[in-house]
Amino acid sequence: MTWISKYNIAVVTGCSGAGKSFLIHHVALELHRKNKYDIIPLSFVTAPSDIMKYNSKNRKQVFVIDDVCGRETINVQLVNTWKQLTEKLNDIFKSNCTDSNLLISCRLQECNDSQFKGLTQFTENVFDIVSAPLCLLPEERMFMIKKYLETDNIDHVINDLLHFDFFPLLCKMSKNVSKEKLTIEYGHYLMECFIKYANEGLIGELYIFKSIETNLTDDFVVLPEEMEERYFERLLDDLKQWDIYSTLHNNQLVHKSFRTKLIRYLQHNEKDLKKVFNQMDKDGIKLLTWEIHYFMYYAFDDDHARVDVTFPLIEAAIEGYADIVEFLIKMNCDVNKKTVFIEQHYIKHVKVVIKML
C-alpha cells in the first residue's frame, strides 16, 4: 500500500496468472475500506473516455483497469488514445493529489512492447510482481501450497511448484482438480508454461498438433503450428533426462506426419542423442515392475516392487512403428538388448519390426 500513497498511477505487471488483477482489486478494496474511496472498475476498451466521464474533483476515487492496452496483443488504437489524453491524465492524477488513483494491470509482453513504452504516464511507475523484490518468496509459496494441498501430497510437487510464475492462479485452479483435467482445461491458455512443467505422462498423452488431420476433441490440448517446435524441445529435454515415455510412447505416434516431424527434429540433435541412448543401453532405464514398458502392470505393492530395466529400442519396438525403430538403430541403439521380465512375444515383436526395416 505504501507505493499507492507515493504514486497516483500504478501499473502492475507480470505473466498471466501471477496475481496482477487480484492485487490491484485488493488494493482498491483497501482504499475503499480505510479511506472511503469510490471504486470505479473500467473496461480497457472504454477506459480512456470513462475516466474523463466519471472523474469527480469532489470525491475520492480509484479507477481500476485490467489489461489496459489489450489482453493478448497491444491494441495500437488504444495506445494512441491514451497518448492523446496524456495531459488530461496528468492533470487528474497529480502527484501531489491523493484523491484520485489509477490502478492498472498489464501482462509482461504488452508492458515490454515498444508501443506501450511510449506511454510515459504509465511506464514511470511499473511494478513487476514476478521479479525481485516483489516476487513471492519460497516461504510465501509454501504458505499458499498448504492452503490448497494435503500435507501428504506437498513433497511430490513442491520442487515443481516453486518454478511456476503463475503460481497463485495455479493454486486456485488445482484445488480438487485432477492433473489431467487441469492440463486440458488450462493448457490451451498457458501453453508455454504447461509444456515446460507438466510431467512426461501428460505431455505424451494429452497434447495433439492442430496440423494433424484428425477429429479434434475437447479431450486434448490442441497445439498450433507455432508451438510444435517448443513441444519437440520438451520431448528432447525429457530424453536427455532419461524420461522416454513422452517420446517413445507418445499418443501422437499413431500419426505418420507427427512421426516424420519428430524424427526430423531429433535428427538435428543427433550427436547429443547418440550419447544419451548409448548411456541408456549401457546402464538400462530403471523401472519398478509395475511400470515396466509403461503398460504392463504387475500386482506388486509399492513397498515390495522389484526393479527392472528396459531399453529405448525395446520400448519403440513395442509400439510397432518401423520408422521410429529405424531412427533408434541409426542412433546406434543396441538391437540385442533384452529385459528380465519381457515376455517372449515381445522379443518376437522386436524382431518382426527390425525385419520391416
Side-chain angles (χ1 to χ4, degrees), residues 219-246:
D219 296 328
F220 297 96
V221 178
V222 180
L223 291 180
E225 193 166 355
E226 60 267 23
M227 291 299 295
E228 290 182 3
E229 184 172 358
R230 180 66 193 92
Y231 183 80
F232 286 138
E233 288 175 3
R234 168 59 196 270
L235 300 190
L236 178 62
D237 289 341
D238 283 351
L239 287 175
K240 291 180 178 179
Q241 297 297 320
W242 288 38
D243 292 328
I244 63 174
Y245 182 87
S246 60

Side-chain angles (χ1 to χ4, degrees), residues 111-349:
C111 194
N112 292 328
D113 190 283
S114 59
Q115 296 279 351
F116 185 84
K117 289 182 177 180
L119 300 174
T120 55
Q121 70 270 33
F122 294 157
T123 56
E124 288 179 356
N125 309 312
V126 175
F127 300 87
D128 182 355
I129 61 173
V130 296
S131 300
L134 298 178
C135 60
L136 286 171
L137 299 174
E139 54 267 30
E140 292 172 328
R141 288 171 177 258
M142 179 59 75
F143 178 79
M144 295 177 67
I145 290 173
K146 289 180 178 179
K147 287 179 65 70
Y148 292 97
L149 294 181
E150 298 293 334
T151 303
D152 294 341
N153 296 327
I154 291 177
D155 290 341
H156 299 295
V157 298
I158 184 62
N159 290 332
D160 290 329
L161 287 180
L162 291 178
H163 291 91
F164 283 96
D165 287 329
F166 55 95
F167 188 80
L169 178 63
L170 181 66
C171 286
K172 182 179 179 180
M173 292 189 311
S174 61
K175 186 177 182 180
N176 300 323
V177 177
S178 70
K179 58 186 179 181
E180 290 81 8
K181 185 177 180 180
L182 182 67
T183 301
I184 292 172
E185 288 190 3
Y186 297 99
H188 297 88
Y189 306 105
L190 301 166
M191 287 187 180
E192 187 78 22
C193 291
F194 271 81
I195 291 174
K196 183 177 181 180
Y197 292 112
N199 69 45
E200 68 274 12
L202 300 178
I203 290 294
E205 295 172 4
L206 299 182
Y207 285 82
I208 191 165
F209 287 179
K210 188 176 182 180
S211 61
I212 293 176
E213 294 185 6
T214 186
N215 294 323
L216 301 176
T217 70
D218 294 335
D219 296 328
F220 297 96
V221 178
V222 180
L223 291 180
E225 193 166 355
E226 60 267 23
M227 291 299 295
E228 290 182 3
E229 184 172 358
R230 180 66 193 92
Y231 183 80
F232 286 138
E233 288 175 3
R234 168 59 196 270
L235 300 190
L236 178 62
D237 289 341
D238 283 351
L239 287 175
K240 291 180 178 179
Q241 297 297 320
W242 288 38
D243 292 328
I244 63 174
Y245 182 87
S246 60
T247 302
L248 300 184
H249 295 285
N250 194 297
N251 282 351
Q252 296 188 81
L253 290 174
V254 297
H255 303 286
K256 173 66 175 177
S257 59
F258 176 82
R259 300 199 304 274
T260 300
K261 290 182 177 182
L262 172 63
I263 291 172
R264 185 185 305 125
Y265 180 84
L266 295 179
Q267 284 173 336
H268 292 307
N269 298 272
E270 179 178 345
K271 185 177 180 180
D272 289 339
L273 282 178
K274 281 185 176 180
K275 293 179 180 178
V276 172
F277 288 132
N278 178 265
Q279 197 63 40
M280 287 181 182
D281 278 340
K282 181 179 178 181
D283 298 339
I285 304 168
K286 294 181 180 180
L287 301 169
L288 293 175
T289 49
W290 49 262
E291 292 179 319
I292 186 172
H293 312 308
Y294 295 101
F295 63 88
M296 295 172 61
Y297 294 91
Y298 293 80
F300 291 100
D301 295 332
D302 287 358
D303 294 339
H304 301 91
R306 293 148 64 184
V307 175
D308 187 29
V309 297
T310 188
F311 303 95
L313 192 56
I314 288 177
E315 297 301 322
I318 289 172
E319 293 290 350
Y321 302 112
D323 46 0
I324 300 295
V325 172
E326 181 180 15
F327 168 74
L328 291 181
I329 292 176
K330 290 180 178 179
M331 293 291 105
N332 298 331
C333 287
D334 192 342
V335 298
N336 298 309
K337 287 292 184 181
K338 298 180 182 179
T339 63
V340 175
F341 292 101
I342 194 167
E343 297 183 23
Q344 187 62 33
H345 68 278
Y346 285 121
I347 295 292
K348 292 179 180 179
H349 197 176

